[in-house]
Amino acid sequence: MGEVYVITSGKGGVGKTTVTANLGVGLALRGAKVVTVDADIGLRNLDVVLGLENRIVFNIVDVVEGSCRLEQALVRDKRLENLFLLPAAQTRTKEAITSEQMLEVCSKLRKIFDYVLIDSPAGIETGFRNAAIGADKAIVVTTPEVSAVRDADRIIGLLEAMGKGVPQLIINRIRLDMVEKGDMLSVRDVLDILAVPLLGIIPDDEEVIVATNKGEPVIFRDDSDASRAFKNIVARLQGEDVPIIELSPRKNTGFWSKLRQLFGGR
Amino acid sequence: MLSLFKLFKKKESSSQIAKSRLEIMLKHDRMELTKDDMLEMMDRILMVLKDYVNYDKDRVQMKVKRENGETFLFISVPVIGRPASRDWER
């Protein structure tokens, strides 16, 4: 039986979809059978980030309405044969799927796959609840900004209230230079505030945008900081003990050496 | 002396401002109590306390913390003695 993860954030635009795509690819690169699920009905994006937008025939709403079988809606990745996408419907609304239907889809998927990664829509309403309902575990994505951290706190509370336990946190788009100057919340600050376990940190990296432009998740590359950060997170998801080296803003150890330490996997 | 102290005190960075703003925001968000509710609750708690202890009211602090999925309310009250009026009870 596979594990079902929901990737969520509360606030939009913090990188849920990018995280889902990269973790999906990363787990598949390590040989796991993975499906990524786009639960953002009406505003689908995961297909684009994965570069699979031209391969979609059916979607998750077709599946729950019985217009096709689950297997028919699954889009196989063009690079990895053990990675799949269950796309969202683009011309429907969140109300097109009920929680019961979502639960059923999840229980079917976990029988086929090692990992089911559900990309949640922003917000705290139906869309989020449906995305989370079938999940065993939750990953909350935030950026080191006041609004994103506040929304992350709210979503952590809601996930706990839904009985999903304490979620793991990914802090995205960290800019070391700004943290050093005291102009960005540090990893420590965010953890002090949210008090949940840290799954990983991802530096703000232009390569992520380049990768999205091309529809090739950045984790496929070997030469980017974000790619290394995602690979570390994937290893942690699979139970490996990859240390997260703390960035403390006012220490005088070399900036670049710290960066290398931080993302060099050691 | 005070101004000298101020001179050496570092200017608060924007990340420190962000952190303290968040701490205040989340205190309310997590309890889902309004600011007025919180103030009223504090007043009532302190009203009870003052029958039993003397405390430094300028240093009373309230914190809402989350641990292992539960929300805790911490109130720290610096006690500086006992009120004279209750001494006879001991």
Side-chain angles (χ1 to χ4, degrees), chain A residues 1-6 33-37 70-71 74 86 102-118 131-137 164:
Chain A
M1 282 292 240
E3 280 188 311
V4 184
Y5 284 88
V6 61
K33 200 171 178 199
V34 183
V35 63
T36 56
V37 179
L70 177 62
E71 293 76 6
L74 295 173
L86 180 55
M102 197 66 198
L103 274 170
E104 208 188 316
V105 169
C106 287
S107 76
K108 280 183 186 161
L109 289 173
R110 75 192 321 144
K111 284 180 196 141
I112 313 174
F113 295 95
D114 300 321
Y115 291 93
V116 181
L117 306 183
I118 303 170
I133 192 145
D136 310 311
K137 293 175 183 171
K164 301 294 166 193

Side-chain angles (χ1 to χ4, degrees), chain A:
Chain A
M1 282 292 240
E3 280 188 311
V4 184
Y5 284 88
V6 61
I7 290 96
T8 187
S9 68
K11 187 177 180 299
V14 299
K16 283 181 296 295
T17 304
T18 303
V19 167
T20 308
N22 280 286
L23 298 189
V25 170
L27 288 164
L29 281 170
R30 289 170 147 247
K33 200 171 178 199
V34 183
V35 63
T36 56
V37 179
D38 193 343
D40 201 348
I41 317 290
L43 285 170
R44 77 176 175 211
N45 274 320
L46 186 54
D47 54 334
V48 178
V49 177
L50 284 166
L52 300 175
E53 68 274 16
N54 293 329
R55 303 191 171 207
I56 297 174
V57 182
F58 297 109
N59 59 60
I60 191 167
V61 176
D62 296 324
V63 174
V64 303
E65 288 180 347
S67 314
C68 73
R69 284 179 296 112
L70 177 62
E71 293 76 6
Q72 290 176 290
L74 295 173
V75 181
R76 189 192 289 267
D77 184 75
K78 52 191 175 191
R79 297 140 297 209
L80 298 165
E81 60 163 21
N82 50 335
L83 175 65
F84 291 80
L85 164 71
L86 180 55
Q90 181 68 338
T91 54
R92 302 294 293 272
T93 60
K94 315 269 183 248
E95 288 69 36
I97 296 186
T98 66
S99 346
E100 291 74 28
Q101 289 169 327
M102 197 66 198
L103 274 170
E104 208 188 316
V105 169
C106 287
S107 76
K108 280 183 186 161
L109 289 173
R110 75 192 321 144
K111 284 180 196 141
I112 313 174
F113 295 95
D114 300 321
Y115 291 93
V116 181
L117 306 183
I118 303 170
D119 183 19
S120 155
I124 54 172
E125 289 89 22
T126 321
F128 154 70
R129 286 178 187 278
N130 281 348
I133 192 145
D136 310 311
K137 293 175 183 171
I139 295 171
V140 170
V141 182
T142 190
T143 59
E145 289 161 84
V146 178
S147 50
V149 174
R150 183 190 199 180
D151 290 358
D153 188 77
R154 185 98 169 90
I155 225 75
I156 290 165
L158 291 172
L159 287 164
E160 286 169 351
M162 285 176 82
K164 301 294 166 193
V166 181
Q168 291 179 285
L169 186 71
I170 291 179
I171 308 175
N172 192 17
R173 287 199 212 121
I174 295 182
R175 285 188 51 182
L176 278 174
D177 56 334
M178 291 190 73
V179 174
E180 294 270 325
K181 275 193 282 176
D183 278 333
M184 181 176 271
L185 288 167
S186 69
V187 173
R188 177 51 42 207
D189 290 335
V190 177
L191 291 179
D192 282 350
I193 290 163
L194 295 178
V196 290
L198 181 65
L199 180 59
I201 57 183
I202 302 158
D204 190 29
D205 183 347
E206 291 175 6
E207 293 303 329
V208 174
I209 295 168
V210 176
T212 307
N213 287 344
K214 298 187 201 161
E216 288 166 13
V218 74
I219 195 165
F220 277 118
R221 303 186 46 162
D222 295 324
D223 54 350
S224 102
D225 294 332
S227 169
R228 279 186 282 271
F230 278 122
K231 283 180 179 134
N232 286 348
I233 293 173
V234 169
R236 283 182 208 114
L237 277 180
Q238 294 207 313
E240 280 178 40
D241 187 20
V242 184
I244 295 171
I245 290 130
E246 184 57 82
L247 343 166
S248 47
R250 265 172 261 292
K251 266 196 201 147
N252 275 332
T253 48
F255 174 80
W256 289 109
S257 78
K258 213 188 295 171
L259 186 76
R260 266 194 298 277
Q261 268 184 331
L262 185 57
F263 301 111
R266 271 235 53 90

